[in-house]
Amino acid sequence: DPDSGDNGHLQYSLVGGQTNEFDINENTGQIFTVSVAGKAGTFYLQVQAADQGTRRLTAQTTVNVTVDSSSSSNVVMLVLNQKISAVERKSVEVQRVLEEKLGWNVYVLNIYSKESDRNSRSSTDETQVDIIAFDEAHQEVPAEDVKRSLREQRAAIELGLQEVFSAPVSAAVSEVAAAPAPPERTAAIVLGVLLAATFIAFLAYVLLDLKRKRYPGKYGKQDLVKKVDVMEGIDNPWADDKNGSLKSLEKPELMNN
């Protein structure tokens, strides 16, 4: 709105469409998701902009939001040495600095801290920011290209963020860790391995039992030989020595030098 004062101050709102799944920042007009987990498809939103003059003027437009069920692999994590509460307040400015220095459309997807305690939100001086970039053709920029550009423009980005936070800022690129397998999947894998091992052991037992039944003399003789070998490998109190007397159960004592 080219007007000045209240007549040029716009506020945005969702006035129609699927407003339960989305919300809008009334000051910036940025639309973000509220609850689209497990959903996919195109959502239609009616957005209104209104100035704050005495006679409020409004304009409306339809925004189509397409939700893809597959997660993007081009999300890049940027770690800032700032409190999460400060980064959340300055998220729009952070996004603007990144767009200026990288030359792409950048969207902040998530802002979070390693600390889960609410009390630590203002005390932990490290905040992780998930971003994704789009080129002029509205195509996702590969994560490796975004990381390379972030490293190349790191000094300029930190200088721009220093003006935003009024303090020295460190912006480091971090690798997004792969999400761990859910517990039910891990349990299923372990159970599958145990079942497979049990089945193999059972199959081996059945085959051996069939062979014994088919060749009873062969396997019976081998068992007998094994038993005899075992008996001969230990002190046998029932075995006669050369003089016809029983062998002593006592082991010979070692000779001292």
Side-chain angles (χ1 to χ4, degrees), residues 120-195:
S120 66
R121 292 171 63 84
S122 60
S123 61
T124 304
D125 292 331
E126 183 175 285
T127 302
Q128 299 169 347
V129 182
D130 287 345
I131 64 172
I132 189 169
F134 290 84
D135 57 22
E136 295 180 354
H138 306 291
Q139 300 296 319
E140 292 184 12
V141 179
E144 292 305 318
D145 293 345
V146 177
K147 292 177 183 179
R148 181 172 59 252
S149 185
L150 285 171
R151 294 187 180 101
E152 292 174 353
Q153 301 297 326
R154 179 173 181 177
I157 291 173
E158 291 179 344
L159 186 60
L161 293 177
Q162 180 176 333
E163 297 178 358
V164 171
F165 292 100
S166 301
V169 177
S170 172
V173 179
S174 177
E175 298 296 334
V176 179
E184 58 271 17
R185 183 179 177 185
T186 304
I189 293 174
V190 173
L191 182 60
V193 172
L194 292 176
L195 289 175

Side-chain angles (χ1 to χ4, degrees), residues 76-80 87 108 110-112 127-131:
V76 176
M77 180 192 295
L78 190 64
V79 180
L80 306 179
V87 177
V108 175
N110 195 16
I111 300 174
Y112 54 96
T127 302
Q128 299 169 347
V129 182
D130 287 345
I131 64 172

